[in-house]
Amino acid sequence: MDDAACEVRLRNGDAVWIRPIRDTDAAELQRAFALMSEASQYRRFMTGTPRLTDSQAAYFTAVDHVDHEAYVAHSPDDETWIIGVARFIRYPSAPDDAELAVTVADSWHGRGLGTALLRVLTARAIAVGVKRFRAEMMADNEAVLSLLRSAGMTDETVSGDVASGHIVLAPPS
Ligand SMILES: CC(C)(COP(=O)(O)OP(=O)(O)OC[C@H]1O[C@@H](n2cnc3c(N)ncnc32)[C@H](O)[C@@H]1OP(=O)(O)O)[C@@H](O)C(=O)NCCC(=O)NCCS
């Protein structure tokens, strides 16, 4: 088990493991993305993206853990089977801010996994000096809107089909 992995409990008491992504996760990330419903794939990238290309998968897994960080979740039974990802990518021109994205495998929706991933990612972001998450999502994506509102999203705006907002990250008091 990865030293940085942590066990978290979902709403029903089930345990999952969350750990930083590794460059060896690329093929598994592609597999997990291909298994998502078309609706979830669309909501993640807000474009029709039926598969992650090799170069996208390499980019999403070769993170530096400071400007680009991602955590994956897996069930305790299989460390290679990715069931969720939360990621931030710092804006080079505004390094206090980072773009946020969270994705959970369809069969795991609604159990608290997105919330757990966001909590772990937030702690890491604060540790490396990110001060705000910015997020963009389809305006009808109630699941992520609920998730981000619970995490303190403010300044919500809607432009056409796309909503955006930000979360101010507070260091632990
Ligand atoms: C958005 C997503 C990550 C949420 O993951 P999840 O594990 O289902 O989320 P949770 O179970 O932790 O629930 C988070 C909140 O959303 C709410 N929620 C979950 N599914 C919902 C749904 N279908 N409709 C409305 N609210 C929903 C929960 O009640 C919870 O609300 P609370 O914080 O007020 O208790 C998941 O739906 C997903 O992967 N969607 C496809 C990809 C995507 O849209 N990514 C966002 C792009 S930034």
Side-chain angles (χ1 to χ4, degrees):
M1 184 61 60
D2 193 306
D3 283 348
C6 61
E7 187 188 50
V8 298
R9 294 271 163 191
L10 302 184
R11 287 196 195 103
N12 67 356
D14 283 353
V16 298
W17 284 89
I18 294 180
R19 63 163 171 82
I21 205 163
R22 305 172 186 142
D23 52 9
T24 50
D25 287 324
E28 170 55 17
L29 198 66
Q30 288 175 302
R31 188 203 60 79
F33 187 80
L35 286 180
M36 284 165 58
S37 64
E38 265 182 51
S40 289
Q41 291 173 336
Y42 190 83
R43 287 186 175 126
R44 167 61 181 90
F45 288 110
M46 298 193 290
T47 59
T49 306
R51 58 181 288 272
L52 288 184
T53 64
D54 290 349
S55 62
Q56 284 173 313
Y59 172 71
F60 283 135
T61 51
V63 303
D64 66 5
H65 303 289
V66 175
D67 292 334
H68 183 177
E69 178 64 290
Y71 281 82
V72 296
H74 58 84
S75 84
D77 311 330
D78 187 344
E79 203 189 328
T80 61
W81 191 264
I82 292 174
I83 56 174
V85 186
R87 171 184 315 280
F88 71 73
I89 303 173
R90 234 187 261 255
Y91 293 93
S93 58
D96 285 349
D97 289 16
E99 178 192 351
L100 170 68
V102 187
T103 312
V104 167
D106 287 58
S107 59
W108 286 80
H109 283 182
R111 304 193 208 181
L113 182 53
T115 302
L117 279 162
L118 181 56
R119 194 179 309 126
V120 172
L121 186 76
T122 297
R124 175 65 186 167
I126 290 170
V128 295
V130 175
K131 297 202 167 49
R132 295 198 317 172
F133 283 150
R134 295 191 211 166
E136 279 200 343
M137 61 235 107
M138 301 305 298
D140 65 355
N141 189 346
E142 291 300 333
V144 78
L145 286 166
S146 293
L147 172 66
L148 300 188
R149 284 171 185 155
S150 292
M153 181 165 69
T154 55
D155 289 348
E156 269 182 57
T157 56
V158 176
S159 174
D161 293 340
V162 176
S164 59
H166 68 255
I167 299 171
V168 176
L169 306 183
S173 50

